[in-house]
């Protein structure tokens, strides 16, 4: 049994503040250890549950956050940027039986600790076939195309609630309870590691590859906080303006859908001005 862990940082133990997840800051250095503890706990739980292989795919910012040297020796880690499937890279080779979303968070425009979808502020909402979408929901549709079930989700309590919509059977572990976008009641790493390990052990039983889902076409709508960003996004072929601050595109598969989304966020990031946004 092979498990893929997609590891994002905003939903990690103890993390509530932008500097906690901003590479290079002293607070990020501290939170890397907490994040690594969550990921390692998940890996240990999956091994407890019978996994033979656990591959961790770094999925936050520069995708170079985890402390490899702190992970269980059986774990392998994919670190660094520029990957065909970004946050769920590694799922496409036909050998993954289940995926865990560790450190996930609610989506843009939703309540949740450090809630956003890909871009921290410029995206104010994403909809997939008219359903409000978090990054977790988008990624869940990508992995379903490869027949891989989401078996475990960790994050704040609202990330877990969000996951009820896209992975109802998955085990969920809330490592903190949302108070505001930048505040949470946090549990200690000793406690969350135990909770995550126990849930991952149980989740291993759900890691059974399914028939690939052919659910297209997928229409993705994206709303921005400024109208010029909507115009900038239309540089991407197939992306059309549908409102003053909104664009949409349709893809036959989620593979194409998530890649176009990545192109949109890359173009839009380049169009943001420091003072006026
Ligand atoms: Zn992140």
């Amino acid at each position: 049994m092979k498990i893929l862990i997609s590891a994002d940082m905003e939903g990690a133990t103890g993390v509530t503040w932008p500097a906690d997840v901003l590479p290079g800051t002293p607070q990020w250095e501290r939170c890397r250890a907490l994040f690594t503890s969550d990921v390692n706990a998940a890996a240990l739980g999956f091994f407890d549950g019978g996994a033979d292989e656990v591959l961790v795919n770094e999925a936050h910012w520069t995708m170079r956050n985890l402390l490899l040297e702190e992970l269980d020796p059986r774990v392998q880690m994919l670190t660094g940027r520029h990957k065909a499937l970004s946050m769920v890279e590694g799922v496409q080779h036909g050998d993954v039986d289940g995926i865990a979303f560790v450190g996930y968070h609610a989506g843009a425009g939703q309540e949740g600790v450090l809630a956003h979808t890909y871009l921290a502020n410029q995206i104010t909402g994403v909809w997939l076939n008219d359903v409000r979408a978090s990054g977790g929901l988008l990624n869940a549709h990508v992995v379903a195309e490869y027949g891989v079930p989401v078996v475990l989700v960790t994050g704040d309590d609202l990330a877990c609630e969000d996951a009820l919509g896209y992975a109802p059977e998955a085990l969920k572990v809330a490592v903190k309870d949302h108070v505001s976008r930048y505040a949470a009641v946090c549990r200690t790493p000793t406690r969350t590691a135990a909770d995550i390990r126990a849930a991952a052990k149980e989740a291993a039983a759900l890691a059974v590859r399914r028939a690939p889902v052919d659910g297209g076409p997928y229409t993705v709508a994206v709303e921005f906080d400024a109208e010029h960003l909507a115009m900038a996004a239309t540089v991407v072929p197939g992306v059309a303006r549908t409102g003053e601050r909104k664009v949409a595109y349709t893809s036959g598969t989620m593979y194409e859908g998530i890649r176009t989304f990545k192109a949109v966020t890359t173009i839009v990031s380049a169009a943001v001005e420091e003072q006026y946004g």
Side-chain angles (χ1 to χ4, degrees):
M1 180 204 307
K2 179 173 178 177
I3 301 291
L4 179 65
I5 297 177
S6 171
D8 200 2
M9 194 169 182
E10 285 86 351
T13 295
V15 164
T16 68
W17 191 253
D20 295 349
V21 294
L22 191 62
T25 67
Q27 192 61 12
W28 168 79
E29 285 289 358
R30 175 179 161 260
C31 289
R32 296 173 79 184
L34 299 174
F35 179 31
T36 303
S37 168
D38 287 4
V39 169
N40 199 49
L44 290 172
F46 285 120
F47 285 125
D48 291 345
D52 306 297
E53 279 183 74
V54 173
L55 174 66
V56 177
N57 178 41
E58 289 225 45
H60 173 72
W61 206 289
T62 56
M63 301 185 170
R64 296 171 63 241
N65 306 276
L66 290 166
L67 300 166
L68 178 64
E69 57 274 31
E70 301 294 326
L71 295 174
D72 184 273
R74 291 166 292 180
V75 173
Q76 294 194 86
M77 188 173 94
L78 171 51
T79 187
R81 280 181 77 175
H82 308 304
K83 302 174 283 195
L85 283 177
S86 192
M87 294 180 76
V88 292
E89 175 68 22
V91 80
Q92 67 267 49
H93 306 301
D95 60 350
V96 173
D97 299 292
I99 186 165
F101 293 169
V102 171
Y104 269 49
H105 51 82
Q110 297 175 314
E111 265 196 316
V113 177
L114 295 167
H116 69 286
T117 304
Y118 278 66
L119 303 183
N121 289 311
Q122 290 78 23
I123 292 178
T124 53
V126 178
W127 291 262
L128 179 66
N129 292 343
D130 293 325
V131 174
R132 186 135 203 155
S134 62
L137 184 142
L138 295 174
N139 287 333
H141 279 84
V142 175
V143 303
E145 230 164 51
Y146 297 95
V148 177
V150 180
V151 298
L152 173 70
V153 179
T154 78
D156 72 349
D157 55 334
L158 297 185
C160 293
E161 202 177 299
D162 179 53
L164 287 172
Y166 63 77
E169 332 77 48
L171 277 286
K172 283 117 189 147
V173 179
V175 300
K176 55 198 171 192
D177 293 330
H178 166 268
V179 172
S180 77
R181 194 178 188 214
Y182 301 127
V185 177
C186 297
R187 293 182 257 297
T188 66
T190 308
R191 160 82 189 278
T192 58
D195 290 350
I196 292 170
R197 184 170 182 167
K201 182 180 179 185
E202 203 179 326
L206 303 173
V208 179
R209 234 172 297 158
R210 322 258 161 99
V213 172
D214 179 11
Y218 296 98
T219 296
V220 179
V222 188
E223 183 187 74
F224 303 99
D225 68 350
E227 65 81 22
H228 74 285
L229 299 181
M231 194 190 75
T234 61
V235 167
V236 180
V239 175
R241 200 157 179 178
T242 55
E244 198 170 31
R245 292 182 292 109
K246 246 180 160 177
V247 299
Y249 62 89
T250 299
S251 302
T253 64
M254 266 315 283
Y255 172 80
E256 287 303 334
I258 202 74
R259 287 163 64 83
T260 302
F261 189 71
K262 186 85 185 159
V264 165
T265 57
T266 302
I267 293 284
V268 164
S269 297
V272 177
E273 299 298 334
E274 202 180 329
Q275 297 298 333
Y276 281 73

